[in-house]
Amino acid sequence: MLNLGALFFLLPLGFLKSARRARVFYLPFLLLFVLANFVKFQPWCFDNYKMFLHWHALTVVLASVAIFWVADRVGNRVGAGVGTGGGAGVSAGGGARGGAGTRGKQKEFYAVPVSVAFLVVVCCSLACTFFGFATHAEMLEQNARIWSAEEVRVAEWVRENTPSESVFLTGSAHNHPIPSLAGRQRVMGYEGWLWSHGINWTKINERKRDEIAIYRGNLSLLKDYRVDYVCVGPYERAFATENHFKINDSAFDDEVLDRTREHSQPRITSK
């Protein structure tokens, strides 16, 4: 809803100025917009934007109605002002003064709502501009690094010391160095990409449950997935935190690579 921009002002006016049939036709799309802001229709909230596309296609039509209505009103008022001014030049003095008084009252009548509307638009524009600058400033302060030097070294070790067809059990982060840098297969990749490629969400959750069971110590599942190596590091601990479980470190004591016991770097065990 924060990304509406000019539509925030044009939509209500366009809706009011549209024909009744157009308003009735638009109502289901407006309901879709409201629901998509509060109901998660898909596993990843971001994918709800697909629902907004249908609403947006109709909304821009109503916005154009508002723009044309405003343009017509401004054009008519300018034309009326020119016509009235021309008539005042040839009319009697009293008539001219009466016409000027009427125009003055009309200006006063429109001055307050127009001023308020203008102030609202300016304030909203300034707020959006400030929000944009603040967001970009925060992004610039953040480190854009994807992998640390230590993660690069771990990936190099994996490439040099494990067969290319090896299967790893890792966390499901999209930027995990084992598949990204070392080019090794893993039991399950990033859930969002798996779902986007058409893999059933139920199957994804089933595999995730098995991964969690292995990290909890159920090593019998390693054979089912033909796992050659198990990675335990920051990505896996983040995976455990996100899924509310604790890794059973004692189950993975057959260490091929032991970077540290301080949980800051990964260790890879062979099973």
Side-chain angles (χ1 to χ4, degrees):
M1 295 181 71
L2 295 176
N3 296 324
L4 282 175
L7 290 178
F8 184 84
F9 306 100
L10 295 175
L11 174 57
L13 180 59
F15 184 83
L16 293 174
K17 297 303 177 182
S18 297
R20 183 178 182 277
R21 288 188 301 175
R23 293 199 299 268
V24 172
F25 183 79
Y26 178 74
L27 286 177
F29 295 90
L30 183 61
L31 177 62
L32 183 64
F33 171 77
V34 174
L35 288 176
N37 272 286
F38 294 98
V39 179
K40 188 173 73 169
F41 287 95
Q42 302 175 71
W44 297 101
C45 294
F46 179 79
D47 287 331
N48 262 21
Y49 84 91
K50 299 171 185 176
M51 313 291 290
F52 294 131
L53 295 178
H54 306 283
W55 164 83
H56 190 267
L58 272 292
T59 299
V60 294
V61 176
L62 296 187
S64 66
V65 172
I67 293 173
F68 279 111
W69 182 85
V70 171
D72 287 341
R73 294 286 294 181
V74 172
N76 291 337
R77 288 184 62 79
V78 171
V82 173
T84 304
V90 296
S91 62
R97 286 192 298 273
T102 302
R103 290 196 299 274
K105 291 180 180 179
Q106 289 177 342
K107 289 181 179 179
E108 291 178 0
F109 177 78
Y110 286 105
V112 174
V114 170
S115 299
V116 172
F118 178 76
L119 182 61
V120 170
V121 171
V122 170
C123 290
C124 289
S125 299
L126 290 175
C128 291
T129 302
F130 174 78
F131 178 78
F133 275 118
T135 302
H136 283 80
E138 183 182 2
M139 291 173 61
L140 290 174
E141 291 180 357
Q142 295 178 353
N143 194 335
R145 183 185 65 186
I146 300 177
W147 297 287
S148 66
E150 186 64 28
E151 289 170 341
V152 173
R153 287 194 291 271
V154 169
E156 290 175 351
W157 186 95
V158 169
R159 285 198 304 270
E160 295 171 0
N161 294 275
T162 65
S164 59
E165 67 275 9
S166 300
V167 177
F168 281 73
L169 178 71
T170 70
S172 59
H174 69 280
N175 60 332
H176 198 291
I178 297 299
S180 301
L181 297 179
R184 297 297 185 262
Q185 300 180 65
R186 56 177 172 170
V187 174
M188 188 179 77
Y190 177 55
E191 296 99 308
W193 292 340
L194 295 174
W195 181 85
S196 298
H197 281 78
I199 298 177
N200 186 278
W201 191 252
T202 301
K203 293 182 178 180
I204 295 173
N205 279 331
E206 288 176 356
R207 181 157 294 202
K208 179 191 282 189
R209 283 194 294 269
D210 286 345
E211 278 199 336
I212 293 173
I214 295 173
Y215 275 119
R216 280 176 167 168
N218 185 0
L219 303 185
S220 62
L221 292 171
L222 290 172
K223 186 176 181 180
D224 295 341
Y225 291 102
R226 300 179 180 179
V227 175
D228 299 301
Y229 298 92
V230 177
C231 185
V232 181
Y235 290 98
E236 287 67 41
R237 300 194 186 282
F239 175 74
T241 301
E242 292 169 3
N243 292 280
H244 313 291
F245 75 95
K246 186 175 181 179
I247 295 176
N248 183 359
D249 291 279
S250 62
F252 308 104
D253 56 0
D254 181 16
E255 298 172 5
V256 174
L257 175 65
D258 189 352
R259 290 292 179 183
T260 179
R261 286 285 188 179
E262 297 176 356
H263 301 170
S264 60
Q265 303 300 337
R267 73 174 185 274
I268 300 172
T269 65
S270 175
K271 289 293 178 183

